[in-house]
Amino acid sequence: NVDACLAVADIVRTTLGPRGMDKLIYDNEKPPTISNDGATIMKLLDIVHPAAKTLADISESQDSEVGDGTTTVVILAAEFLRESKQFIEEGVRPISVIRAFRQACQLAVEKIAELSVSLNDKPVEELKDLLRKCAETTLSSKLVAGEKEFFSAMIVDAVSCLDRDLMDLGLIGIKKVSGGGLRDSFLVEGVAFKKTFSYAGFEQQPKFLKNPTILLLNVELELKAERDNAEVRLSDPTEYQSIVDAEWNIIYKKLELCVQSGANIVLSRLAIGDLATQYFADRGIFCAGRVTQEDCQRVMEATGAQMQSTVRGLVPEVLGSCEQFEEKQVGNDRFNLFTGCPATKTATLVIRGGAEQFLEETERSLHDAIMIVRRAMKNATIVPGGGAIDMELSRYLRDYARTIPGKSQLFINAYAKALEVIPRQLAENAGFDATDILNKLRQKHARPDHSGKNFGVNILDGGVTDTFESFVWEPSLIKVNAMKAATEAACLILSVDETIRSPASESANPPDPRMAAAMQGRGRGRGMRR
């Protein structure tokens, strides 16, 4: 079990840090994926070993809970297992190791809380600047590291638009448009979505509106096709035209009610047909049908409009508003932009780039940074990055281990040694001498006055540096969550002393019980004549 987990961790080990490498993952059914995001790689790997799947699970949980640190949590869990392997092979009971590891994890979490710096008492502008630094730290290890200053400012502005209490991630939309460069990406403080399918008459509709009112519908505004088995029996042929007219009157009545509501923009989750498109165009009203649920939700949050399932009884209170509506050409696509919304609690990032795989990885990178800024705003405490916090925790646990008797001293010491894997891997991935850098870090962190507690790996020049002064920060929640998840995963795998496989699954083609039941009773007929 331990060897299987170490093999999985070795795959993502080289992706850690700003100088980490990318992985290209492909199979015959899906397009290739280029990524250095630990959670994405672990998700795409077809891991069949039951114990190794635990690492994929903790990576996914770290991604959903915090957003970053997905590679860190896998490497830490594997290193805990590597350090404990020697004790298990020497006959130590796993429960003793597990107990000591859990104690060490609790001590480490308490020390992180002690070392973390709060951002709650900072002014708004200074807080935004600090959040940008956190976003830059996250993006520095991604494919878009060259434009981290550009994207970090955009991400902080996007997250600042959200409701401070809810911080709903679904209200930040990310739209990908092929073509252009990364610098052509832009932020819409409101809603932007790609132009939906439209009928003839669309070009006659207004493309720019000031202070429009917006009507959101969950209603189909088109003539419905008759069913194949529909049947209408008439006694008088002249009645046929009245039936056709009734159908047209229904749709015209719906359109008339929409116009009477005073709305300048009509959006619907369902189809808006060619008749309705031309009807609205003649009256200077913009319309769009088949708008996705996510975009409708964000329009509701931004403009204050309320989704209506009928066009009857429309009152001004259900209409939304914004300062400006514009249809804009972005690359080869058209986008509908709603800006200056009164209740802006949503934002949209429109990212540009070349290859499709590059855009996909850019979206994953921005998602991680958005999660980090969002978490930092809700839990505004940070710790120094670059392996500084890991080295300080390692020193603290080594000192603590010397104060306790028994075997636990060895186990906690092994836990402390395992924490050094993060700065070691950062240095190795950057092409530096990991042994030399670790020795310098140990010397800095061993100072009696604790003046070297913020020293970590200097990725740019080699050697060590005060990462807090260099603005290499990360939310303390990343480390706390990674430490807890990695420790629990390691303890879970250590607690398994035997893996038992079902005998029926060992055969290449296990018999189908339904086929076996169907074959019963066959072959009992008359024997061959001799």
Side-chain angles (χ1 to χ4, degrees), residues 157-164 167-175 187-192 294-304 338-349:
D157 291 341
V159 177
S160 300
C161 293
L162 298 181
D163 187 288
R164 283 299 180 95
M167 287 286 180
D168 187 356
L169 193 65
L171 296 180
I172 296 182
I174 299 180
K175 306 296 181 183
L187 170 70
V188 178
E189 291 188 3
V191 184
E294 294 78 13
D295 291 331
C296 283
Q297 184 65 35
R298 290 190 296 114
V299 169
M300 288 170 61
E301 293 287 340
T303 65
F338 299 81
T339 54
C341 303
T344 300
K345 295 178 182 177
T346 180
T348 307
L349 294 164

Side-chain angles (χ1 to χ4, degrees), residues 33-212:
T33 301
I34 300 174
S35 178
N36 70 351
D37 180 52
T40 303
I41 296 169
M42 298 296 285
K43 194 184 300 181
L44 294 174
L45 290 177
D46 188 16
I47 301 173
V48 295
H49 195 281
K53 279 185 178 178
T54 307
L55 297 187
D57 292 341
I58 62 170
S59 178
E60 191 174 339
S61 72
Q62 177 82 2
D63 186 48
S64 61
E65 180 67 22
V66 186
D68 198 19
T70 52
T71 306
T72 300
V73 73
V74 173
I75 294 175
L76 275 178
E79 199 65 21
F80 291 153
L81 291 170
R82 191 195 303 275
E83 292 297 327
S84 61
K85 185 179 178 183
Q86 55 179 327
F87 301 119
I88 305 301
E89 289 175 346
E90 291 172 4
V92 177
R93 297 294 297 169
I95 191 65
S96 304
V97 181
I98 291 171
R99 191 183 302 116
F101 275 17
R102 283 181 174 153
Q103 183 186 2
C105 177
Q106 184 63 32
L107 291 168
V109 169
E110 291 172 0
K111 187 66 176 176
I112 290 173
E114 180 186 327
L115 294 171
S116 59
V117 178
S118 176
L119 304 179
N120 285 325
D121 54 346
K122 306 289 184 184
V124 176
E125 286 304 317
E126 187 179 348
L127 177 62
K128 281 193 172 184
D129 188 53
L130 297 175
L131 291 173
R132 277 195 286 269
K133 296 290 190 295
C134 288
E136 286 178 19
T137 303
T138 302
L139 293 173
S140 63
S141 64
K142 307 296 183 184
L143 206 61
V144 293
E147 302 290 351
K148 62 181 181 182
E149 293 88 358
F150 174 73
F151 280 114
S152 62
M154 192 185 295
I155 287 165
V156 172
D157 291 341
V159 177
S160 300
C161 293
L162 298 181
D163 187 288
R164 283 299 180 95
D165 297 325
L166 297 177
M167 287 286 180
D168 187 356
L169 193 65
L171 296 180
I172 296 182
I174 299 180
K175 306 296 181 183
K176 304 184 290 292
V177 182
S178 297
L182 286 174
R183 284 272 176 178
D184 295 328
S185 305
F186 59 92
L187 170 70
V188 178
E189 291 188 3
V191 184
F193 57 83
K194 195 179 294 186
K195 181 178 82 72
T196 57
F197 175 80
S198 56
Y199 292 92
F202 180 82
E203 291 298 342
Q204 300 171 25
Q205 292 182 350
K207 301 295 185 287
F208 183 88
L209 292 169
K210 278 283 188 182
N211 299 312

